[in-house]
Amino acid sequence: QIVFGKGTIAKLDELISQDEKILVTYGGGSIFKNGVYEQVKTALGDRRVIEFGGIESNPTFETLMKAVEVGRREKVTFLLAVGGGSVLDGTKFIAAAIPYEGDDPWDLLSKNAKVIRAIPLASVMTLPATGSEMNSGAVISRKSTQEKLSFGDWKLAPQFSILDPETTYSLPKNQIRNGIVDSYIHVMEQYLTYPVVPPLQDRHAEAILKTLVEEADAILAEPADYDARATYMWSATQALNGNLSCGVVTDWATHGIGHEITAFYGLAHAETLAIVYPALIRYKKEQKREKILQYAQRIFGLCELPGHDLIEEAIRATEVFFHRIGMPTRFSDYGIDAQEAAQRIRDRLMDRNTKLGEHRDIFPEDVYKILMAA
Ligand code: NZQ
Ligand code: ZN
């Protein structure tokens, strides 16, 4: 359930039973600066509440296991994540790890151990980007091994998520830019493959892409514009809530590669996607030809003209859009040596025998070439 609009944090009082013992989780402190913490506290009233703060961006297993300890010791019955995707993803892990009966909850990520039970959870989402507020997935990092892995189970989907666009007013521009790009690429990963289904799924995807392209400037403008922020927040949720993937083949190679870049170099999630994506679609442009042509026409209004390479123009338009909102698209923008990154990531994916893409035909050697071009 999504509860959307101004002042909706107060609804926590209706949505959570008085009897719950709640673990409220949050990140590095943004909720204390923008008034969200106060609103949550007021809404929860006299309920029994324990807090766990300090969940970092790209939440780590090491930190989250401390919250698992607290949750077990205090026998909490409900988890409320307040913050961005990292806090919510971390909380999904905590929800699965508290009742986990195996030896090591990391197995949930590294060995696909089954989520048999989970503590119920909900969120107050303050950063539109990941779609975590309406999906069952989470991405967790492990400092000690420089890994970043995902897992998911519908038992981990939030029972409800409160989305108040006003909570986004305090976001720094780089986080908004990141959120727009992450949402955009979530759609692309589910859209830009090959034609398979009746037109409705494509039209849903295109609606989100076009909205983000058209509204990005208003979303980033100061002072914050409620309608633009509401559009942004709703687009991010729609981009990865399970709707677009119904009945279509999905790609997710960019995410798979991007997580490795974050694991090794610490870049923000969306920053990695913007580096990988243009290089990846250029590399796969023949296989993705039909959808790229459709994308060129429907999102950017480009059409075939003699002497023009429409595919290249569509990829270029995507890069120009990212640059317009301040998002770099090259390793060199971060001072990272592309060759070193390409080698490290290829070697790791070889160890895991990874195959990526909608055809499962992007092998570690292809990833190397894609990254060398980035
Ligand atoms: O930690 P605090 O102090 O709260 O500050 C955060 C953090 O520094 C800040 N922030 C959040 N809301 C704010 C705010 N600052 C001011 N005002 C607000 N309203 O923003 C910074 C980044 O937050 P974070 O939660 O890390 O960002 P995001 O929401 O982009 O989440 C990124 C994580 O989600 C994963 C990524 O891999 C990454 O680990 N993803 C999760 C997915 C999912 N569950 O489905 C899918 C995605 O593809 C993605 O992989
Ligand atoms: Zn993403």
Side-chain angles (χ1 to χ4, degrees):
Q1 184 187 359
I2 295 290
V3 183
F4 196 99
K6 274 184 202 184
T8 42
I9 295 177
K11 301 257 180 206
L12 282 171
D13 188 28
E14 294 164 33
L15 292 162
I16 304 182
S17 146
Q18 289 286 346
D19 306 328
E20 302 289 7
K21 188 166 185 187
I22 307 163
L23 182 65
V24 172
T25 52
Y26 54 86
S30 68
I31 64 165
F32 295 103
K33 294 189 202 128
N34 58 14
V36 169
Y37 177 81
E38 278 310 315
Q39 293 180 61
V40 170
K41 268 302 243 194
T42 306
L44 292 178
D46 295 334
R47 288 171 183 79
R48 292 170 298 165
V49 170
I50 295 146
E51 294 177 12
F52 184 89
I55 297 178
E56 55 283 79
S57 277
N58 306 306
T60 65
F61 173 72
E62 287 85 349
T63 300
L64 299 170
M65 283 309 289
K66 293 182 189 153
V68 170
E69 233 176 272
V70 175
R72 284 179 175 164
R73 187 176 65 232
E74 299 286 342
K75 300 194 168 36
V76 298
T77 59
F78 197 87
L79 308 179
L80 181 65
V82 185
S86 293
V87 174
L88 179 46
D89 280 13
T91 305
K92 289 176 178 176
F93 174 76
I94 298 165
I98 289 176
Y100 184 69
E101 287 178 358
D103 293 334
D104 182 1
W106 183 249
D107 292 348
L108 291 161
L109 291 133
S110 63
K111 297 187 180 155
N112 282 325
K114 206 169 155 40
V115 178
I116 294 172
R117 284 190 304 125
I119 308 284
L121 70 121
S123 80
V124 174
M125 176 55 102
T126 64
L127 202 179
T130 59
S132 191
E133 64 274 16
M134 202 175 166
N135 71 37
S136 59
V139 191
I140 308 297
S141 298
R142 188 164 185 161
K143 253 192 247 163
S144 59
T145 53
Q146 287 193 304
E147 287 171 284
K148 181 171 180 179
L149 301 175
S150 58
F151 82 124
D153 189 289
W154 281 106
K155 293 183 206 73
L156 304 175
Q159 297 205 333
F160 64 83
S161 286
I162 291 182
L163 306 182
D164 178 347
E166 288 189 332
T167 64
T168 72
Y169 291 2
S170 54
L171 279 167
K173 283 221 161 106
N174 71 321
Q175 294 297 347
I176 300 175
R177 165 204 84 175
N178 289 355
I180 293 172
V181 169
D182 194 18
S183 306
Y184 197 86
I185 294 186
H186 290 160
V187 179
M188 295 297 268
E189 297 263 36
Q190 300 167 89
Y191 166 74
L192 208 96
T193 54
Y194 54 87
V196 269
V197 276
L200 186 60
Q201 293 308 86
D202 276 0
R203 295 291 189 185
H204 277 311
E206 288 155 359
I208 300 170
L209 296 173
K210 209 159 171 51
T211 301
L212 289 171
V213 172
E214 284 178 2
E215 297 297 315
D217 295 328
I219 294 166
L220 282 157
E222 296 282 358
D225 161 349
Y226 180 85
D227 291 337
R229 291 296 170 90
T231 297
Y232 163 42
M233 207 165 203
W234 194 227
S235 300
T237 303
Q238 297 287 322
L240 193 53
N241 67 354
N243 180 20
L244 299 182
S245 63
C246 292
V248 304
V249 284
T250 55
D251 180 342
W252 296 116
T254 297
H255 272 68
I257 301 167
H259 288 336
E260 298 307 327
I261 300 176
T262 299
F264 283 127
Y265 298 97
L267 262 54
H269 172 62
E271 292 171 343
T272 71
L273 304 179
I275 293 173
V276 178
Y277 198 68
L280 187 134
I281 39 174
R282 267 196 189 97
Y283 189 78
K284 281 286 170 195
K285 67 183 177 188
E286 285 315 320
Q287 277 178 325
K288 289 179 178 290
R289 185 179 176 78
E290 278 185 71
K291 287 305 268 294
I292 300 178
L293 293 174
Q294 180 178 320
Y295 168 71
Q297 189 206 7
R298 293 191 186 171
I299 305 305
F300 295 112
L302 299 168
C303 48
E304 228 142 352
L305 290 170
H308 283 244
D309 176 351
L310 193 52
I311 299 228
E312 181 50 33
E313 282 179 17
I315 301 169
R316 191 70 204 125
T318 311
E319 287 170 323
V320 168
F321 170 52
F322 292 164
H323 296 163
R324 193 181 96 211
I325 61 173
M327 178 60 94
T329 51
R330 315 283 296 175
F331 275 120
S332 54
D333 295 312
Y334 300 94
I336 295 174
D337 176 15
Q339 183 160 17
E340 184 204 74
Q343 275 168 358
R344 284 176 96 174
I345 293 170
R346 174 191 57 194
D347 294 349
R348 173 169 270 182
L349 297 181
M350 267 179 176
D351 287 345
R352 294 199 195 129
N353 203 11
T354 306
K355 303 179 191 89
L356 297 166
E358 64 269 24
H359 300 286
R360 292 281 167 272
D361 63 351
I362 300 179
F363 295 96
E365 227 22 83
D366 300 298
V367 173
Y368 178 85
K369 290 180 192 150
I370 290 165
L371 293 180
M372 284 298 285

